[in-house]
Amino acid sequence: NLNIPKVRTMAFVGETGAGKTSIVNLLGRFYEYEKGKIMLGDVDLKDIELNTLRKNIAIVLQDVFLFSDTIHNNITLGDPEITREQVIGAAKAVSAHQFIEKLPGGYDYVVGERGGVLSVGQRQLLAFIRAYVYNPHILILDEATSSVDNESEELIRHATEKLTQGRTSIVIAHRLSTIQNADRIVVLEKGEIMETGSHSEL
């Protein structure tokens, strides 16, 4: 049993296979569950329409998928209701505006297949802007900093702080630096909760 308080940051740590990503897949209903219950407030997750659920949860993964399209469209995912001003505002909030401005054409720069011309850190920052612009109630960061260089890690650490403010956040990480500021850390092992506490307690 586990309770994640509203507007708090809960981090999950554990070895590969401990069950961290399974939690992400269950919360996003990529897996359906047969036993037990997952409640969002006092509503069973299964009673929430998938469309509604996924509009309110943003998941930033380790491997960012980018379309062969403009930076702008990769952030908005083609949603015409999201304006250029909102995109720029989100990019500035997560400290990514500077690198985008330097690209030929800026926000209209067309990224290649899977964003190959961008660094891992830059692709990751685009995923953060994407999450920010959709303003989700629940944010899930799944190993979002595990394969970035040191320079990008600092930017992403700032982006993480900005994104998690005022929303319920679940952070899955290997690096302790990314979860030091979490309200609670849950240590998982083979699908079991071994211990929970703050960074200093653990």
Side-chain angles (χ1 to χ4, degrees), residues 9-45:
T9 298
M10 181 83 87
F12 289 93
V13 292
E15 292 179 7
T16 303
K20 305 184 299 294
T21 300
S22 295
I23 289 169
V24 175
N25 287 324
L26 287 166
L27 287 172
R29 277 185 61 196
F30 301 114
Y31 296 166
E32 292 293 359
Y33 50 97
E34 286 152 27
K35 289 181 183 176
K37 277 189 176 178
I38 300 176
M39 309 293 287
L40 218 54
D42 49 11
V43 182
D44 194 306
L45 204 66

PDB file of all heavy atoms in Angstrom, residues 9-45:
ATOM      1  N   THR A   9       6.250  15.717  -4.128  1.00  0.00           N
ATOM      2  CA  THR A   9       7.122  14.968  -5.029  1.00  0.00           C
ATOM      3  C   THR A   9       7.530  13.672  -4.341  1.00  0.00           C
ATOM      4  O   THR A   9       8.121  13.693  -3.272  1.00  0.00           O
ATOM      5  CB  THR A   9       8.374  15.794  -5.399  1.00  0.00           C
ATOM      6  OG1 THR A   9       7.947  16.970  -6.093  1.00  0.00           O
ATOM      7  CG2 THR A   9       9.311  15.001  -6.297  1.00  0.00           C
ATOM      8  N   MET A  10       7.163  12.559  -4.978  1.00  0.00           N
ATOM      9  CA  MET A  10       7.499  11.230  -4.467  1.00  0.00           C
ATOM     10  C   MET A  10       8.492  10.602  -5.430  1.00  0.00           C
ATOM     11  O   MET A  10       8.265  10.582  -6.643  1.00  0.00           O
ATOM     12  CB  MET A  10       6.230  10.370  -4.393  1.00  0.00           C
ATOM     13  CG  MET A  10       6.430   8.991  -3.854  1.00  0.00           C
ATOM     14  SD  MET A  10       6.445   8.952  -2.051  1.00  0.00           S
ATOM     15  CE  MET A  10       4.711   8.797  -1.690  1.00  0.00           C
ATOM     16  N   ALA A  11       9.621  10.138  -4.914  1.00  0.00           N
ATOM     17  CA  ALA A  11      10.638   9.522  -5.773  1.00  0.00           C
ATOM     18  C   ALA A  11      10.673   8.020  -5.536  1.00  0.00           C
ATOM     19  O   ALA A  11      10.456   7.546  -4.419  1.00  0.00           O
ATOM     20  CB  ALA A  11      12.001  10.131  -5.476  1.00  0.00           C
ATOM     21  N   PHE A  12      10.947   7.277  -6.594  1.00  0.00           N
ATOM     22  CA  PHE A  12      11.096   5.824  -6.510  1.00  0.00           C
ATOM     23  C   PHE A  12      12.506   5.457  -6.944  1.00  0.00           C
ATOM     24  O   PHE A  12      12.958   5.880  -8.002  1.00  0.00           O
ATOM     25  CB  PHE A  12      10.086   5.121  -7.426  1.00  0.00           C
ATOM     26  CG  PHE A  12       8.674   5.219  -6.931  1.00  0.00           C
ATOM     27  CD1 PHE A  12       7.843   6.244  -7.359  1.00  0.00           C
ATOM     28  CD2 PHE A  12       8.170   4.291  -6.033  1.00  0.00           C
ATOM     29  CE1 PHE A  12       6.546   6.355  -6.899  1.00  0.00           C
ATOM     30  CE2 PHE A  12       6.873   4.395  -5.568  1.00  0.00           C
ATOM     31  CZ  PHE A  12       6.057   5.427  -5.998  1.00  0.00           C
ATOM     32  N   VAL A  13      13.184   4.669  -6.115  1.00  0.00           N
ATOM     33  CA  VAL A  13      14.508   4.182  -6.478  1.00  0.00           C
ATOM     34  C   VAL A  13      14.533   2.666  -6.316  1.00  0.00           C
ATOM     35  O   VAL A  13      13.740   2.090  -5.575  1.00  0.00           O
ATOM     36  CB  VAL A  13      15.643   4.816  -5.619  1.00  0.00           C
ATOM     37  CG1 VAL A  13      15.787   6.281  -5.918  1.00  0.00           C
ATOM     38  CG2 VAL A  13      15.414   4.584  -4.131  1.00  0.00           C
ATOM     39  N   GLY A  14      15.451   2.048  -7.020  1.00  0.00           N
ATOM     40  CA  GLY A  14      15.572   0.599  -6.949  1.00  0.00           C
ATOM     41  C   GLY A  14      16.287   0.089  -8.177  1.00  0.00           C
ATOM     42  O   GLY A  14      16.393   0.792  -9.179  1.00  0.00           O
ATOM     43  N   GLU A  15      16.769  -1.131  -8.083  1.00  0.00           N
ATOM     44  CA  GLU A  15      17.493  -1.719  -9.207  1.00  0.00           C
ATOM     45  C   GLU A  15      16.554  -1.995 -10.375  1.00  0.00           C
ATOM     46  O   GLU A  15      15.334  -1.991 -10.223  1.00  0.00           O
ATOM     47  CB  GLU A  15      18.166  -3.033  -8.752  1.00  0.00           C
ATOM     48  CG  GLU A  15      19.291  -2.812  -7.755  1.00  0.00           C
ATOM     49  CD  GLU A  15      19.929  -4.118  -7.301  1.00  0.00           C
ATOM     50  OE1 GLU A  15      19.583  -5.177  -7.871  1.00  0.00           O
ATOM     51  OE2 GLU A  15      20.750  -4.061  -6.383  1.00  0.00           O
ATOM     52  N   THR A  16      17.135  -2.264 -11.534  1.00  0.00           N
ATOM     53  CA  THR A  16      16.348  -2.644 -12.699  1.00  0.00           C
ATOM     54  C   THR A  16      15.506  -3.868 -12.335  1.00  0.00           C
ATOM     55  O   THR A  16      16.014  -4.818 -11.748  1.00  0.00           O
ATOM     56  CB  THR A  16      17.285  -2.980 -13.881  1.00  0.00           C
ATOM     57  OG1 THR A  16      18.105  -1.833 -14.121  1.00  0.00           O
ATOM     58  CG2 THR A  16      16.509  -3.323 -15.134  1.00  0.00           C
ATOM     59  N   GLY A  17      14.215  -3.802 -12.662  1.00  0.00           N
ATOM     60  CA  GLY A  17      13.337  -4.930 -12.346  1.00  0.00           C
ATOM     61  C   GLY A  17      12.656  -4.822 -10.991  1.00  0.00           C
ATOM     62  O   GLY A  17      11.896  -5.704 -10.602  1.00  0.00           O
ATOM     63  N   ALA A  18      12.901  -3.708 -10.277  1.00  0.00           N
ATOM     64  CA  ALA A  18      12.302  -3.542  -8.942  1.00  0.00           C
ATOM     65  C   ALA A  18      10.811  -3.212  -9.015  1.00  0.00           C
ATOM     66  O   ALA A  18      10.071  -3.423  -8.057  1.00  0.00           O
ATOM     67  CB  ALA A  18      13.032  -2.441  -8.173  1.00  0.00           C
ATOM     68  N   GLY A  19      10.364  -2.682 -10.173  1.00  0.00           N
ATOM     69  CA  GLY A  19       8.945  -2.362 -10.332  1.00  0.00           C
ATOM     70  C   GLY A  19       8.665  -0.876 -10.537  1.00  0.00           C
ATOM     71  O   GLY A  19       7.521  -0.456 -10.547  1.00  0.00           O
ATOM     72  N   LYS A  20       9.732  -0.074 -10.724  1.00  0.00           N
ATOM     73  CA  LYS A  20       9.552   1.375 -10.858  1.00  0.00           C
ATOM     74  C   LYS A  20       8.734   1.731 -12.108  1.00  0.00           C
ATOM     75  O   LYS A  20       7.767   2.472 -12.028  1.00  0.00           O
ATOM     76  CB  LYS A  20      10.918   2.085 -10.924  1.00  0.00           C
ATOM     77  CG  LYS A  20      11.848   1.777  -9.763  1.00  0.00           C
ATOM     78  CD  LYS A  20      13.141   2.567  -9.822  1.00  0.00           C
ATOM     79  CE  LYS A  20      13.995   2.313 -11.046  1.00  0.00           C
ATOM     80  NZ  LYS A  20      14.546   0.929 -11.117  1.00  0.00           N
ATOM     81  N   THR A  21       9.128   1.189 -13.246  1.00  0.00           N
ATOM     82  CA  THR A  21       8.435   1.526 -14.496  1.00  0.00           C
ATOM     83  C   THR A  21       7.046   0.896 -14.546  1.00  0.00           C
ATOM     84  O   THR A  21       6.131   1.446 -15.166  1.00  0.00           O
ATOM     85  CB  THR A  21       9.300   1.125 -15.713  1.00  0.00           C
ATOM     86  OG1 THR A  21      10.529   1.852 -15.623  1.00  0.00           O
ATOM     87  CG2 THR A  21       8.639   1.483 -17.029  1.00  0.00           C
ATOM     88  N   SER A  22       6.865  -0.223 -13.855  1.00  0.00           N
ATOM     89  CA  SER A  22       5.523  -0.835 -13.790  1.00  0.00           C
ATOM     90  C   SER A  22       4.534   0.131 -13.140  1.00  0.00           C
ATOM     91  O   SER A  22       3.370   0.212 -13.546  1.00  0.00           O
ATOM     92  CB  SER A  22       5.550  -2.149 -12.998  1.00  0.00           C
ATOM     93  OG  SER A  22       6.343  -3.095 -13.684  1.00  0.00           O
ATOM     94  N   ILE A  23       4.997   0.878 -12.127  1.00  0.00           N
ATOM     95  CA  ILE A  23       4.134   1.866 -11.465  1.00  0.00           C
ATOM     96  C   ILE A  23       3.701   2.932 -12.474  1.00  0.00           C
ATOM     97  O   ILE A  23       2.531   3.306 -12.540  1.00  0.00           O
ATOM     98  CB  ILE A  23       4.863   2.489 -10.251  1.00  0.00           C
ATOM     99  CG1 ILE A  23       4.981   1.449  -9.136  1.00  0.00           C
ATOM    100  CG2 ILE A  23       4.131   3.741  -9.742  1.00  0.00           C
ATOM    101  CD1 ILE A  23       5.895   1.835  -7.999  1.00  0.00           C
ATOM    102  N   VAL A  24       4.651   3.398 -13.302  1.00  0.00           N
ATOM    103  CA  VAL A  24       4.345   4.396 -14.338  1.00  0.00           C
ATOM    104  C   VAL A  24       3.290   3.838 -15.295  1.00  0.00           C
ATOM    105  O   VAL A  24       2.298   4.499 -15.622  1.00  0.00           O
ATOM    106  CB  VAL A  24       5.612   4.779 -15.135  1.00  0.00           C
ATOM    107  CG1 VAL A  24       5.273   5.712 -16.288  1.00  0.00           C
ATOM    108  CG2 VAL A  24       6.646   5.410 -14.222  1.00  0.00           C
ATOM    109  N   ASN A  25       3.500   2.612 -15.747  1.00  0.00           N
ATOM    110  CA  ASN A  25       2.581   1.999 -16.715  1.00  0.00           C
ATOM    111  C   ASN A  25       1.193   1.757 -16.132  1.00  0.00           C
ATOM    112  O   ASN A  25       0.191   1.840 -16.835  1.00  0.00           O
ATOM    113  CB  ASN A  25       3.177   0.697 -17.249  1.00  0.00           C
ATOM    114  CG  ASN A  25       4.327   0.953 -18.195  1.00  0.00           C
ATOM    115  OD1 ASN A  25       4.317   1.909 -18.959  1.00  0.00           O
ATOM    116  ND2 ASN A  25       5.357   0.122 -18.139  1.00  0.00           N
ATOM    117  N   LEU A  26       1.127   1.474 -14.841  1.00  0.00           N
ATOM    118  CA  LEU A  26      -0.170   1.285 -14.188  1.00  0.00           C
ATOM    119  C   LEU A  26      -0.900   2.618 -14.034  1.00  0.00           C
ATOM    120  O   LEU A  26      -2.096   2.705 -14.291  1.00  0.00           O
ATOM    121  CB  LEU A  26       0.011   0.625 -12.815  1.00  0.00           C
ATOM    122  CG  LEU A  26       0.370  -0.861 -12.848  1.00  0.00           C
ATOM    123  CD1 LEU A  26       0.851  -1.328 -11.481  1.00  0.00           C
ATOM    124  CD2 LEU A  26      -0.819  -1.709 -13.304  1.00  0.00           C
ATOM    125  N   LEU A  27      -0.166   3.659 -13.637  1.00  0.00           N
ATOM    126  CA  LEU A  27      -0.798   4.973 -13.452  1.00  0.00           C
ATOM    127  C   LEU A  27      -1.302   5.552 -14.772  1.00  0.00           C
ATOM    128  O   LEU A  27      -2.330   6.219 -14.813  1.00  0.00           O
ATOM    129  CB  LEU A  27       0.180   5.951 -12.797  1.00  0.00           C
ATOM    130  CG  LEU A  27       0.464   5.716 -11.317  1.00  0.00           C
ATOM    131  CD1 LEU A  27       1.581   6.619 -10.838  1.00  0.00           C
ATOM    132  CD2 LEU A  27      -0.786   5.948 -10.481  1.00  0.00           C
ATOM    133  N   GLY A  28      -0.571   5.320 -15.860  1.00  0.00           N
ATOM    134  CA  GLY A  28      -0.998   5.809 -17.169  1.00  0.00           C
ATOM    135  C   GLY A  28      -1.986   4.872 -17.848  1.00  0.00           C
ATOM    136  O   GLY A  28      -2.438   5.129 -18.947  1.00  0.00           O
ATOM    137  N   ARG A  29      -2.296   3.754 -17.187  1.00  0.00           N
ATOM    138  CA  ARG A  29      -3.166   2.683 -17.704  1.00  0.00           C
ATOM    139  C   ARG A  29      -2.679   2.128 -19.035  1.00  0.00           C
ATOM    140  O   ARG A  29      -3.445   1.842 -19.945  1.00  0.00           O
ATOM    141  CB  ARG A  29      -4.625   3.145 -17.780  1.00  0.00           C
ATOM    142  CG  ARG A  29      -5.319   3.009 -16.424  1.00  0.00           C
ATOM    143  CD  ARG A  29      -6.783   3.344 -16.457  1.00  0.00           C
ATOM    144  NE  ARG A  29      -7.534   2.485 -17.344  1.00  0.00           N
ATOM    145  CZ  ARG A  29      -8.766   2.766 -17.782  1.00  0.00           C
ATOM    146  NH1 ARG A  29      -9.355   3.893 -17.416  1.00  0.00           N
ATOM    147  NH2 ARG A  29      -9.400   1.940 -18.577  1.00  0.00           N
ATOM    148  N   PHE A  30      -1.357   1.985 -19.131  1.00  0.00           N
ATOM    149  CA  PHE A  30      -0.793   1.249 -20.264  1.00  0.00           C
ATOM    150  C   PHE A  30      -0.890  -0.241 -19.942  1.00  0.00           C
ATOM    151  O   PHE A  30      -0.873  -1.083 -20.822  1.00  0.00           O
ATOM    152  CB  PHE A  30       0.666   1.664 -20.503  1.00  0.00           C
ATOM    153  CG  PHE A  30       0.801   3.140 -20.779  1.00  0.00           C
ATOM    154  CD1 PHE A  30       1.457   3.981 -19.893  1.00  0.00           C
ATOM    155  CD2 PHE A  30       0.246   3.701 -21.925  1.00  0.00           C
ATOM    156  CE1 PHE A  30       1.565   5.340 -20.138  1.00  0.00           C
ATOM    157  CE2 PHE A  30       0.347   5.059 -22.183  1.00  0.00           C
ATOM    158  CZ  PHE A  30       1.012   5.881 -21.284  1.00  0.00           C
ATOM    159  N   TYR A  31      -0.929  -0.542 -18.633  1.00  0.00           N
ATOM    160  CA  TYR A  31      -1.244  -1.897 -18.154  1.00  0.00           C
ATOM    161  C   TYR A  31      -2.574  -1.766 -17.410  1.00  0.00           C
ATOM    162  O   TYR A  31      -2.767  -0.797 -16.682  1.00  0.00           O
ATOM    163  CB  TYR A  31      -0.236  -2.395 -17.099  1.00  0.00           C
ATOM    164  CG  TYR A  31       1.189  -2.588 -17.506  1.00  0.00           C
ATOM    165  CD1 TYR A  31       2.169  -2.739 -16.520  1.00  0.00           C
ATOM    166  CD2 TYR A  31       1.584  -2.638 -18.841  1.00  0.00           C
ATOM    167  CE1 TYR A  31       3.501  -2.922 -16.849  1.00  0.00           C
ATOM    168  CE2 TYR A  31       2.917  -2.815 -19.178  1.00  0.00           C
ATOM    169  CZ  TYR A  31       3.873  -2.958 -18.176  1.00  0.00           C
ATOM    170  OH  TYR A  31       5.193  -3.134 -18.491  1.00  0.00           O
ATOM    171  N   GLU A  32      -3.455  -2.753 -17.570  1.00  0.00           N
ATOM    172  CA  GLU A  32      -4.643  -2.799 -16.715  1.00  0.00           C
ATOM    173  C   GLU A  32      -4.318  -3.710 -15.543  1.00  0.00           C
ATOM    174  O   GLU A  32      -3.563  -4.669 -15.681  1.00  0.00           O
ATOM    175  CB  GLU A  32      -5.852  -3.334 -17.498  1.00  0.00           C
ATOM    176  CG  GLU A  32      -6.346  -2.405 -18.603  1.00  0.00           C
ATOM    177  CD  GLU A  32      -6.955  -1.092 -18.110  1.00  0.00           C
ATOM    178  OE1 GLU A  32      -7.030  -0.884 -16.875  1.00  0.00           O
ATOM    179  OE2 GLU A  32      -7.335  -0.260 -18.954  1.00  0.00           O
ATOM    180  N   TYR A  33      -4.855  -3.408 -14.382  1.00  0.00           N
ATOM    181  CA  TYR A  33      -4.580  -4.222 -13.200  1.00  0.00           C
ATOM    182  C   TYR A  33      -5.779  -5.102 -12.862  1.00  0.00           C
ATOM    183  O   TYR A  33      -6.928  -4.751 -13.119  1.00  0.00           O
ATOM    184  CB  TYR A  33      -4.176  -3.343 -12.005  1.00  0.00           C
ATOM    185  CG  TYR A  33      -5.108  -2.186 -11.727  1.00  0.00           C
ATOM    186  CD1 TYR A  33      -6.101  -2.280 -10.760  1.00  0.00           C
ATOM    187  CD2 TYR A  33      -4.981  -0.983 -12.430  1.00  0.00           C
ATOM    188  CE1 TYR A  33      -6.948  -1.221 -10.507  1.00  0.00           C
ATOM    189  CE2 TYR A  33      -5.823   0.078 -12.180  1.00  0.00           C
ATOM    190  CZ  TYR A  33      -6.813  -0.043 -11.216  1.00  0.00           C
ATOM    191  OH  TYR A  33      -7.650   1.011 -10.984  1.00  0.00           O
ATOM    192  N   GLU A  34      -5.506  -6.273 -12.321  1.00  0.00           N
ATOM    193  CA  GLU A  34      -6.562  -7.240 -12.024  1.00  0.00           C
ATOM    194  C   GLU A  34      -6.842  -7.364 -10.536  1.00  0.00           C
ATOM    195  O   GLU A  34      -7.906  -7.796 -10.128  1.00  0.00           O
ATOM    196  CB  GLU A  34      -6.173  -8.612 -12.590  1.00  0.00           C
ATOM    197  CG  GLU A  34      -6.309  -8.659 -14.108  1.00  0.00           C
ATOM    198  CD  GLU A  34      -5.359  -9.640 -14.765  1.00  0.00           C
ATOM    199  OE1 GLU A  34      -4.974 -10.608 -14.095  1.00  0.00           O
ATOM    200  OE2 GLU A  34      -5.004  -9.410 -15.939  1.00  0.00           O
ATOM    201  N   LYS A  35      -5.845  -6.998  -9.719  1.00  0.00           N
ATOM    202  CA  LYS A  35      -6.034  -7.087  -8.266  1.00  0.00           C
ATOM    203  C   LYS A  35      -5.770  -5.733  -7.649  1.00  0.00           C
ATOM    204  O   LYS A  35      -5.023  -4.926  -8.198  1.00  0.00           O
ATOM    205  CB  LYS A  35      -5.058  -8.106  -7.664  1.00  0.00           C
ATOM    206  CG  LYS A  35      -5.373  -9.549  -7.992  1.00  0.00           C
ATOM    207  CD  LYS A  35      -4.354 -10.453  -7.307  1.00  0.00           C
ATOM    208  CE  LYS A  35      -4.593 -11.914  -7.664  1.00  0.00           C
ATOM    209  NZ  LYS A  35      -3.550 -12.766  -7.082  1.00  0.00           N
ATOM    210  N   GLY A  36      -6.353  -5.508  -6.474  1.00  0.00           N
ATOM    211  CA  GLY A  36      -6.105  -4.257  -5.759  1.00  0.00           C
ATOM    212  C   GLY A  36      -6.789  -3.079  -6.430  1.00  0.00           C
ATOM    213  O   GLY A  36      -7.591  -3.236  -7.347  1.00  0.00           O
ATOM    214  N   LYS A  37      -6.477  -1.898  -5.946  1.00  0.00           N
ATOM    215  CA  LYS A  37      -7.104  -0.684  -6.473  1.00  0.00           C
ATOM    216  C   LYS A  37      -6.068   0.425  -6.599  1.00  0.00           C
ATOM    217  O   LYS A  37      -5.144   0.512  -5.799  1.00  0.00           O
ATOM    218  CB  LYS A  37      -8.196  -0.195  -5.506  1.00  0.00           C
ATOM    219  CG  LYS A  37      -9.526  -0.892  -5.683  1.00  0.00           C
ATOM    220  CD  LYS A  37     -10.586  -0.204  -4.845  1.00  0.00           C
ATOM    221  CE  LYS A  37     -11.946  -0.866  -5.120  1.00  0.00           C
ATOM    222  NZ  LYS A  37     -13.002  -0.263  -4.293  1.00  0.00           N
ATOM    223  N   ILE A  38      -6.262   1.269  -7.603  1.00  0.00           N
ATOM    224  CA  ILE A  38      -5.489   2.505  -7.709  1.00  0.00           C
ATOM    225  C   ILE A  38      -6.523   3.623  -7.714  1.00  0.00           C
ATOM    226  O   ILE A  38      -7.399   3.666  -8.581  1.00  0.00           O
ATOM    227  CB  ILE A  38      -4.633   2.552  -8.991  1.00  0.00           C
ATOM    228  CG1 ILE A  38      -3.638   1.383  -9.014  1.00  0.00           C
ATOM    229  CG2 ILE A  38      -3.892   3.883  -9.080  1.00  0.00           C
ATOM    230  CD1 ILE A  38      -2.817   1.287 -10.293  1.00  0.00           C
ATOM    231  N   MET A  39      -6.425   4.472  -6.722  1.00  0.00           N
ATOM    232  CA  MET A  39      -7.389   5.563  -6.581  1.00  0.00           C
ATOM    233  C   MET A  39      -6.720   6.905  -6.889  1.00  0.00           C
ATOM    234  O   MET A  39      -5.593   7.153  -6.483  1.00  0.00           O
ATOM    235  CB  MET A  39      -7.948   5.617  -5.148  1.00  0.00           C
ATOM    236  CG  MET A  39      -8.477   4.302  -4.631  1.00  0.00           C
ATOM    237  SD  MET A  39      -9.964   3.732  -5.486  1.00  0.00           S
ATOM    238  CE  MET A  39     -11.186   4.870  -4.846  1.00  0.00           C
ATOM    239  N   LEU A  40      -7.432   7.732  -7.619  1.00  0.00           N
ATOM    240  CA  LEU A  40      -6.993   9.111  -7.853  1.00  0.00           C
ATOM    241  C   LEU A  40      -7.956   9.957  -7.048  1.00  0.00           C
ATOM    242  O   LEU A  40      -9.123  10.106  -7.438  1.00  0.00           O
ATOM    243  CB  LEU A  40      -7.070   9.427  -9.348  1.00  0.00           C
ATOM    244  CG  LEU A  40      -5.966  10.281  -9.945  1.00  0.00           C
ATOM    245  CD1 LEU A  40      -4.606   9.713  -9.647  1.00  0.00           C
ATOM    246  CD2 LEU A  40      -6.145  10.426 -11.442  1.00  0.00           C
ATOM    247  N   GLY A  41      -7.505  10.451  -5.900  1.00  0.00           N
ATOM    248  CA  GLY A  41      -8.454  11.059  -4.965  1.00  0.00           C
ATOM    249  C   GLY A  41      -9.346   9.942  -4.452  1.00  0.00           C
ATOM    250  O   GLY A  41      -8.862   8.926  -3.970  1.00  0.00           O
ATOM    251  N   ASP A  42     -10.661  10.094  -4.622  1.00  0.00           N
ATOM    252  CA  ASP A  42     -11.559   9.006  -4.203  1.00  0.00           C
ATOM    253  C   ASP A  42     -12.210   8.306  -5.399  1.00  0.00           C
ATOM    254  O   ASP A  42     -13.238   7.663  -5.278  1.00  0.00           O
ATOM    255  CB  ASP A  42     -12.617   9.520  -3.210  1.00  0.00           C
ATOM    256  CG  ASP A  42     -13.312  10.786  -3.692  1.00  0.00           C
ATOM    257  OD1 ASP A  42     -13.129  11.134  -4.879  1.00  0.00           O
ATOM    258  OD2 ASP A  42     -14.018  11.422  -2.889  1.00  0.00           O
ATOM    259  N   VAL A  43     -11.576   8.438  -6.581  1.00  0.00           N
ATOM    260  CA  VAL A  43     -12.099   7.804  -7.801  1.00  0.00           C
ATOM    261  C   VAL A  43     -11.158   6.691  -8.242  1.00  0.00           C
ATOM    262  O   VAL A  43      -9.944   6.883  -8.299  1.00  0.00           O
ATOM    263  CB  VAL A  43     -12.249   8.845  -8.952  1.00  0.00           C
ATOM    264  CG1 VAL A  43     -12.825   8.193 -10.198  1.00  0.00           C
ATOM    265  CG2 VAL A  43     -13.101  10.025  -8.506  1.00  0.00           C
ATOM    266  N   ASP A  44     -11.743   5.529  -8.558  1.00  0.00           N
ATOM    267  CA  ASP A  44     -10.946   4.412  -9.063  1.00  0.00           C
ATOM    268  C   ASP A  44     -10.420   4.781 -10.446  1.00  0.00           C
ATOM    269  O   ASP A  44     -11.160   5.307 -11.283  1.00  0.00           O
ATOM    270  CB  ASP A  44     -11.804   3.150  -9.148  1.00  0.00           C
ATOM    271  CG  ASP A  44     -10.970   1.894  -9.338  1.00  0.00           C
ATOM    272  OD1 ASP A  44     -10.154   1.860 -10.285  1.00  0.00           O
ATOM    273  OD2 ASP A  44     -11.129   0.945  -8.561  1.00  0.00           O
ATOM    274  N   LEU A  45      -9.144   4.510 -10.672  1.00  0.00           N
ATOM    275  CA  LEU A  45      -8.496   4.834 -11.941  1.00  0.00           C
ATOM    276  C   LEU A  45      -9.262   4.255 -13.135  1.00  0.00           C
ATOM    277  O   LEU A  45      -9.348   4.863 -14.192  1.00  0.00           O
ATOM    278  CB  LEU A  45      -7.057   4.298 -11.929  1.00  0.00           C
ATOM    279  CG  LEU A  45      -6.050   4.969 -12.861  1.00  0.00           C
ATOM    280  CD1 LEU A  45      -5.787   6.401 -12.454  1.00  0.00           C
ATOM    281  CD2 LEU A  45      -4.733   4.204 -12.884  1.00  0.00           C
TER     282      LEU A  45
END
